Amino acid sequence: MSKRTSLGIKMVIFAIGISAVVYFFFQTIGWFWNPPLLKNNTEAFLEQIREQDFKEAMKRFEDSTANNRWPDDMRELFEKHDFKLLTFDGIRAEFDDGSYSTGHAELTFEIDSRPIRTEVILTFGNRGKPKQLCAITPPGVQQSELPELVEWNRLMCGGSF
């Protein structure tokens, strides 16, 4: 084999190796940081919550604090209290440090027959599933005035916010 042929084979092998590395890099980025995927998954999850289909919502939710009682606990929050998710908008993925992603959204709840609009801090899990949706208590409102929002945060992000 000539030096020229040997060099050509090494270049082809090198090009294939670099292509594989680039492909896997972009595949990884796509799974972990894909703003349209994160937004779509969050919208689908929130639509299930809005429709009060909590079992289906749980399939779209990735949270280590969620357990088999999560759908029942969510149903109890919605039925026992006069609590509903009316609207959601402004869902945006904003940050990725290579291991987790965060974002924000605006949700409007109905609590005791009155609309309450709040900002929500989002975190995302594997494959772009929403992991936490922590509602911020609106300005000028005491947390104790909205126990339903406190319960939402317990179920959606593990505690009060």
Side-chain angles (χ1 to χ4, degrees):
M1 187 180 312
S2 72
K3 286 186 178 183
R4 190 175 195 169
T5 304
S6 176
L7 180 61
I9 291 171
K10 288 178 183 176
M11 287 177 66
V12 167
I13 291 171
F14 179 74
I16 290 170
I18 290 295
S19 297
V21 168
V22 168
Y23 172 79
F24 287 115
F25 174 76
F26 283 110
Q27 279 293 99
T28 301
I29 296 270
W31 281 117
F32 293 107
W33 184 243
N34 182 339
L37 174 69
L38 299 173
K39 182 178 187 269
N40 291 341
N41 287 350
T42 303
E43 285 176 346
F45 171 72
L46 288 170
E47 184 60 30
Q48 295 300 316
I49 295 291
R50 195 173 65 76
E51 293 175 2
Q52 299 184 28
D53 186 352
F54 303 115
K55 287 186 182 189
E56 186 61 34
M58 188 171 173
K59 295 176 189 174
R60 299 172 187 270
F61 187 48
E62 182 182 299
D63 182 15
S64 60
T65 64
N67 57 40
N68 291 335
R69 284 227 13 98
W70 186 88
D72 296 329
D73 291 344
M74 286 298 288
R75 185 171 324 290
E76 183 178 322
L77 169 62
F78 277 65
E79 290 175 356
K80 185 177 177 185
H81 304 281
D82 188 12
F83 184 80
K84 295 177 189 153
L85 175 60
L86 297 176
T87 65
F88 52 89
D89 55 33
I91 297 169
R92 56 202 180 277
E94 298 172 330
F95 181 76
D96 176 42
D97 75 351
S99 64
Y100 71 93
S101 303
T102 62
H104 289 87
E106 286 81 36
L107 302 184
T108 303
F109 296 102
E110 183 179 291
I111 301 174
D112 295 328
S113 301
R114 65 183 177 134
I116 302 290
R117 187 161 176 87
T118 184
E119 184 176 1
V120 176
I121 298 173
L122 307 169
T123 63
F124 304 99
N126 291 328
R127 300 184 188 238
K129 287 183 174 183
K131 187 173 181 179
Q132 293 181 316
L133 290 91
C134 303
I136 298 172
T137 304
V141 177
Q142 297 293 321
Q143 258 187 357
S144 60
E145 294 176 45
L146 299 173
E148 299 86 357
L149 206 56
V150 171
E151 182 64 10
W152 167 274
N153 282 338
R154 183 186 70 78
L155 294 169
M156 298 301 272
C157 65
S160 268
F161 205 79

